[in-house]
Amino acid sequence: MATLSNAQVRFLQEQGISLSQVFDGSGLRAKERIAMMDALGTPFYYGGAKCQAGGHTLRTKPGHCIQCDTSKIAFQLRHSASGHVYVAYSDSRKYAKVGYSQAHPDERIAFLRREAYGTASDWQLKTTRYLETHAGRREFEIHARLEQFRKPVIYEKSPGVFAECREIFSCSLQIAITAYKDALRTQ
């Protein structure tokens, strides 16, 4: 059994991470640790091997050091958070967008239309499901199933400001819905 140092507790407090979100992974193999973390809903652990860069033991579920790279905190929290996983579709462009939102996707769809996200202004919400946990993970699983159809699109977000869309897939709505259903079925 490992214990958190005062410096680790301070770091967690500074990052807004509750001690209830941290699991003691001492002595567990990765597969066992991940299964227990999933069951408990804890996104971070300590008590494993120290990172090479700074000798830290606070890590994300997959094992990334959150003290060396605090961006991993937001990613892990999004990955394990509750939220809506949705499919939007543009008939004019034949683009599917698979996304995750903590707010209802209707708000996101309105934003996509206003912004002409991916050069399309006719986005329609085709399906959505609220997940109590792991909504971000399910979004990424759907993306992986659609990888062969990924179509990065650069669009003008505002005059002179360009952005790249990375969650657009050039495929039929049926292909996108099938990938969505398949990924959510494995939940």
Side-chain angles (χ1 to χ4, degrees):
M1 180 172 148
T3 57
L4 290 168
S5 70
N6 290 337
Q8 288 173 313
V9 171
R10 273 193 310 280
F11 172 82
L12 293 169
Q13 289 170 339
E14 289 166 1
Q15 298 302 315
I17 299 171
S18 164
L19 294 178
S20 66
Q21 294 177 292
V22 185
F23 174 75
D24 181 1
S26 301
L28 297 175
R29 290 191 205 113
K31 192 173 184 176
E32 298 167 324
R33 183 190 73 244
I34 290 170
M36 291 183 78
M37 290 175 74
D38 282 343
L40 295 170
T42 53
F44 308 105
Y45 76 95
Y46 63 97
K50 294 179 179 182
C51 76
Q52 291 181 342
H56 307 120
T57 64
L58 286 171
R59 297 179 179 262
T60 62
K61 193 182 311 179
H64 302 287
C65 179
I66 62 175
Q67 289 178 271
C68 288
D69 185 356
T70 57
S71 71
K72 302 294 185 189
I73 295 169
F75 180 83
Q76 184 62 45
L77 290 175
R78 173 189 161 103
H79 199 68
S80 58
S82 62
H84 300 269
V85 179
Y86 64 90
V87 174
Y89 199 75
S90 164
D91 283 321
S92 67
R93 299 285 189 202
K94 303 297 184 227
Y95 290 162
K97 181 192 182 310
V98 176
Y100 154 85
S101 175
Q102 291 189 320
H104 193 277
D106 286 340
E107 296 173 29
R108 184 72 174 132
I109 300 305
F111 170 81
L112 296 175
R113 286 186 200 133
R114 262 192 325 272
E115 290 281 316
Y117 185 82
T119 69
S121 57
D122 64 335
W123 292 103
Q124 296 289 318
L125 180 63
K126 296 300 183 177
T127 189
T128 185
R129 184 162 154 198
Y130 183 80
L131 302 175
E132 290 292 332
T133 61
H134 305 298
R137 179 177 4 168
R138 295 295 177 220
E139 175 197 23
F140 290 124
E141 288 174 11
I142 299 164
H143 287 184
R145 291 171 189 268
L146 293 171
E147 186 59 38
Q148 66 183 334
F149 303 105
R150 187 178 299 274
K151 175 146 180 93
V153 176
I154 296 174
Y155 76 107
E156 193 168 12
K157 188 173 178 155
S158 60
V161 178
F162 294 87
E164 183 178 17
C165 308
R166 297 181 181 174
E167 297 178 339
I168 289 181
F169 303 91
S170 183
C171 64
S172 71
L173 176 59
Q174 186 57 44
I175 288 171
I177 295 291
T178 298
Y180 175 88
K181 287 180 178 177
D182 289 347
L184 295 185
R185 191 172 304 134
T186 63
Q187 182 179 357

